[in-house]
Amino acid sequence: MDFVSGNLGWIEAICGPMFSGKSEELMRRLRRAIIARKRVQVFKPIIDNRYSDDEIVSHTDMRMKSEAITRVSEVMSRLDWRTQVVGIDEANFFGQELVEIANQLADSGKQVIVAGLDTDYMGRPFPPMPDLLTLAESITKTLAICVRCGNPAKHTQRLVESSELIVVGAAGSYEARCRRCFEPGVPKQEYLDFARPKQVTAES
Ligand code: ADP
Ligand code: ZN
């Protein structure tokens, strides 16, 4: 997507499970845009203040200044009209409203790069990513490494009990797993690292 003429806008989507390098890839592209002397604005949801309020942070502690917002409509109210590249991390926390806004930005000539989870803790499509993928000019699916077997991992395995769609990931709440090792929802206790060794019972 490097060679376009005029002010053609577009949407680039980066999707995959946790630990797959979405934030790193987003930052890599934004740094290149800065090197190309483009004006860049980066947004992230305030829900994700695990590491920093005004930076996006990868699991390897790569950082970049960003604006923390509660609703995606703030992208529009905070947008500097001169901005050419708009980066949005943790897109899955923004809900369906992001789809229309990403489209509007692209239609008005902005390069929009969104990164987010494409599936939830049950392995289901995680809105609004599916719609963003159909609208995007470019899609990158990043894979992590399954911590159980070492194969490429497309799933985010939740390790704590909850039926909420969003449980903000404290360390140890999630891990990456391949399709074979993934267990929708919460895995059986026997597979958890902190679980005690299985009790030998009369039945076993
Ligand atoms: P994401 O935004 O997709 O959650 P990050 O960009 O924050 O991912 O972090 C990716 C980095 O996390 C990798 O480059 C790697 O160093 C590290 N990492 C930790 N656990 C894993 C794993 N299971 N698979 C792949 N990378 C991992
Ligand atoms: Zn596996």
Side-chain angles (χ1 to χ4, degrees):
M1 298 300 299
D2 276 342
F3 304 104
V4 291
S5 58
N7 290 328
L8 180 67
W10 68 78
I11 300 173
E12 294 172 36
I14 303 166
C15 67
M18 275 177 77
F19 305 102
S20 64
K22 299 183 301 298
S23 299
E24 284 176 356
E25 179 59 20
L26 174 65
M27 284 186 256
R28 190 184 76 85
R29 293 186 192 182
L30 294 173
R31 292 222 163 95
R32 286 167 62 87
I34 292 166
I35 292 167
R37 297 200 176 80
K38 290 188 177 159
R39 286 178 176 271
V40 173
Q41 269 183 282
V42 190
F43 298 94
K44 69 163 204 174
I46 243 158
I47 189 171
D48 184 33
N49 61 356
R50 281 171 286 174
Y51 312 106
S52 171
D53 277 344
D54 60 353
E55 288 175 313
I56 50 176
V57 184
S58 79
H59 288 102
T60 47
D61 208 37
M62 192 191 270
R63 288 163 185 268
M64 186 176 247
K65 275 262 168 286
S66 73
E67 301 176 49
I69 55 177
T70 43
R71 287 179 65 93
V72 71
S73 54
E74 287 174 59
V75 171
M76 291 317 220
S77 55
R78 286 164 174 253
L79 193 73
D80 181 331
W81 63 271
R82 295 168 300 178
T83 292
Q84 296 158 290
V85 181
V86 180
I88 299 175
D89 203 7
E90 310 278 8
N92 50 284
F93 287 135
F94 280 124
Q96 206 59 25
E97 219 184 336
L98 174 58
V99 177
E100 187 49 39
I101 285 183
N103 224 15
Q104 275 176 25
L105 289 169
D107 284 345
S108 65
K110 313 289 183 208
Q111 178 183 349
V112 184
I113 314 177
V114 291
L117 296 171
D118 53 352
T119 58
D120 68 10
Y121 74 108
M122 296 292 288
R124 301 171 297 204
F126 203 149
M129 234 14 175
D131 287 355
L132 283 169
L133 296 182
T134 59
L135 290 172
E137 272 82 357
S138 145
I139 300 170
T140 301
K141 179 140 176 169
T142 49
L143 296 175
I145 301 296
C146 175
V147 296
R148 297 284 137 173
C149 74
N151 276 312
K154 69 167 182 133
H155 284 295
T156 304
Q157 178 73 57
R158 182 176 284 179
L159 301 174
V160 291
E161 199 82 50
S162 172
S163 56
E164 295 288 317
L165 181 59
I166 295 172
V167 173
V168 177
S173 307
Y174 293 96
E175 65 185 26
R177 292 207 191 170
C178 72
R179 65 163 67 236
R180 200 173 50 195
C181 299
F182 175 63
E183 297 168 83
V186 179
K188 298 177 215 87
Q189 288 297 313
E190 59 195 302
Y191 290 125
L192 294 176
D193 290 335
F194 55 78
R196 274 167 286 155
K198 249 170 85 178
Q199 299 275 323
V200 180
T201 59
E203 300 91 79
S204 59

